[in-house]
């Protein structure tokens, strides 16, 4: 049984995972951030490290961090699909959206309407 499964299914899972546990678990399961303590989900430096491993971890970040351009750009560079969890103003950011679209054209579906209509 994997460490993440043990953490989730054991009696100690009632306590959120700490920084080191999350980083270790992220190596096995990219969604391990969901088990992190709320302060970790709001820790910008920690989240930068995490989204560089798995851009989809942005989905578990605290709301204000989803509006952090640098953090979202790092997440999108790692996984184009992370654009869907970006704050609305960032979905209108041409550079950020282009970064995602270069990886996969389907990323355009997460862009703000004005960018969807833009021929460039």
């Amino acid at each position: 049984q994997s460490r993440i499964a043990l953490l989730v299914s054991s009696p100690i899972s009632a306590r959120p995972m700490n920084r080191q546990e999350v980083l270790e678990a992220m190596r096995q399961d990219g969604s391990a951030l969901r088990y992190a303590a709320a302060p970790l989900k709001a820790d910008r430096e920690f989240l930068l490290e995490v989204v560089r491993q798995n851009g989809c971890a942005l989905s578990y970040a605290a709301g204000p961090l989803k509006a952090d351009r640098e953090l979202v750009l790092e997440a999108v560079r790692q996984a184009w699909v992370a654009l869907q969890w970006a704050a609305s103003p960032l979905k209108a950011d041409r550079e950020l959206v282009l970064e995602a679209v270069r990886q996969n054209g389907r990323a355009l579906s997460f862009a703000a309407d004005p960018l969807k209509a833009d021929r460039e």
Side-chain angles (χ1 to χ4, degrees), residues 38-45 47 58-73 85-90:
L40 279 180
K41 294 177 184 179
D43 181 326
R44 184 180 186 278
E45 294 309 310
L47 262 291
L58 183 65
S59 67
Y60 302 106
L65 290 179
K66 293 178 181 181
D68 182 308
R69 187 179 188 282
E70 180 186 3
L71 180 75
V72 173
L73 184 57
W85 298 295
S88 293
L90 293 180

Side-chain angles (χ1 to χ4, degrees), residues 17-114:
M17 293 170 67
N18 67 35
R19 181 183 201 101
Q20 193 55 43
E21 288 172 329
V22 172
L23 289 175
E24 182 182 321
M26 288 287 298
R27 290 186 191 100
Q28 295 176 33
D29 178 358
S31 66
L33 185 60
R34 70 179 152 201
Y35 303 110
L40 279 180
K41 294 177 184 179
D43 181 326
R44 184 180 186 278
E45 294 309 310
F46 177 71
L47 262 291
L48 272 170
E49 190 173 348
V50 167
V51 299
R52 286 177 180 141
Q53 286 183 45
N54 184 332
C56 292
L58 183 65
S59 67
Y60 302 106
L65 290 179
K66 293 178 181 181
D68 182 308
R69 187 179 188 282
E70 180 186 3
L71 180 75
V72 173
L73 184 57
E74 286 296 324
V76 167
R77 284 180 175 152
Q78 204 287 321
W80 65 270
V81 74
L83 182 61
Q84 73 180 303
W85 298 295
S88 293
L90 293 180
K91 292 179 181 183
D93 183 307
R94 179 182 208 78
E95 179 189 355
L96 203 148
V97 170
L98 280 174
E99 178 67 35
V101 170
R102 281 186 201 111
Q103 293 175 48
N104 190 311
R106 293 183 301 175
L108 196 56
S109 68
F110 302 124
D113 288 339

